[in-house]
Amino acid sequence: MKQRLSLMYLSFILIISSRESSSSIPSNSFIGIPPQDEDYFKREIIKCKNGSKKFTKAQLNDDFCDCPDGTDEPGTSACPLGKFYCKNIGHAPSFLYSSRVNDGICDCCDGSDEYDGKVKCPYTCHEAGKVAMESLKIKIKVYQEGLFYEE
Ligand SMILES: *[C@@H]1O[C@H](CO)[C@@H](O)[C@H](O)[C@H]1NC(C)=O
């Protein structure tokens, strides 16, 4: 059972990694937020991460800086200390300063930091992730052969 689960997990990674992502990101208030932090931002009243202030759901990514530490504007350039999360599907996720969001320069390999339409960022994560994916494929193959011989 344990083996089957990890095989499923590996295949899941492969599917995720090989999916081509579009560079036009729909305007959603959760842009720039890492998946593991989404629950934190789903409350009606949200605290700035360092506890200095509170803000409402409507103030999240509204392009106005409410938290001195940038908690409320991960996806816009409004707060100088904000951090933007790039999903970079096909490669590794990364963070950049939110001040680089919509600044006309493509920073994330998935192009998600430039969503206002002024520049069109090519999707380059696939190239960046290719090497990692090849080695993963080999691992899966070895793993599957291992299962086969066990039977
Ligand atoms: C929160 O962070 C900001 C920016 O670094 C700082 O100015 C402020 O004093 C901090 N507040 C607390 C309560 O730590």
Side-chain angles (χ1 to χ4, degrees):
M1 192 56 194
K2 200 174 170 224
Q3 280 181 333
R4 187 165 296 161
L5 274 180
S6 28
L7 184 61
M8 272 172 57
Y9 179 65
L10 283 177
S11 316
F12 177 71
I13 290 178
L14 254 194
I15 291 164
I16 292 285
S17 323
S18 54
R19 214 174 56 187
E20 290 289 332
S21 159
S22 140
S23 59
S24 64
I25 297 295
S27 50
N28 81 72
S29 64
F30 277 60
I31 192 163
I33 296 173
Q36 65 268 24
D37 285 358
E38 280 185 7
D39 282 345
Y40 184 85
F41 289 95
K42 277 177 185 160
R43 300 164 210 182
E44 287 303 319
I45 304 290
I46 308 161
K47 266 189 191 164
C48 303
K49 284 260 168 76
N50 79 355
S52 53
K53 278 183 179 176
K54 286 175 184 166
F55 60 97
T56 65
K57 224 179 193 175
Q59 288 170 289
L60 177 60
N61 282 333
D62 67 347
D63 206 21
F64 183 88
C65 191
D66 296 287
C67 297
D69 66 359
T71 308
D72 63 308
E73 299 295 322
T76 79
S77 55
C79 295
L81 296 179
K83 292 267 175 63
F84 182 87
Y85 174 88
C86 317
K87 290 196 178 81
N88 291 344
I89 290 166
H91 192 42
S94 61
F95 284 95
L96 50 102
Y97 279 112
S98 301
S99 54
R100 298 194 183 171
V101 171
N102 292 329
D103 66 350
I105 299 163
C106 305
D107 295 291
C108 309
C109 68
D110 64 4
S112 58
D113 58 305
E114 298 299 320
Y115 60 82
D116 65 356
K118 282 193 200 117
V119 289
K120 194 156 168 46
C121 297
Y123 172 86
T124 58
C125 297
H126 194 70
E127 287 313 306
K130 214 172 208 164
V131 178
M133 193 149 85
E134 282 313 309
S135 84
L136 188 59
K137 270 185 190 161
I138 290 168
K139 266 190 204 148
I140 289 177
K141 193 158 181 283
V142 168
Y143 188 82
Q144 282 172 335
E145 280 165 6
L147 284 186
F148 178 75
Y149 289 126
E150 255 172 40
E151 284 167 8

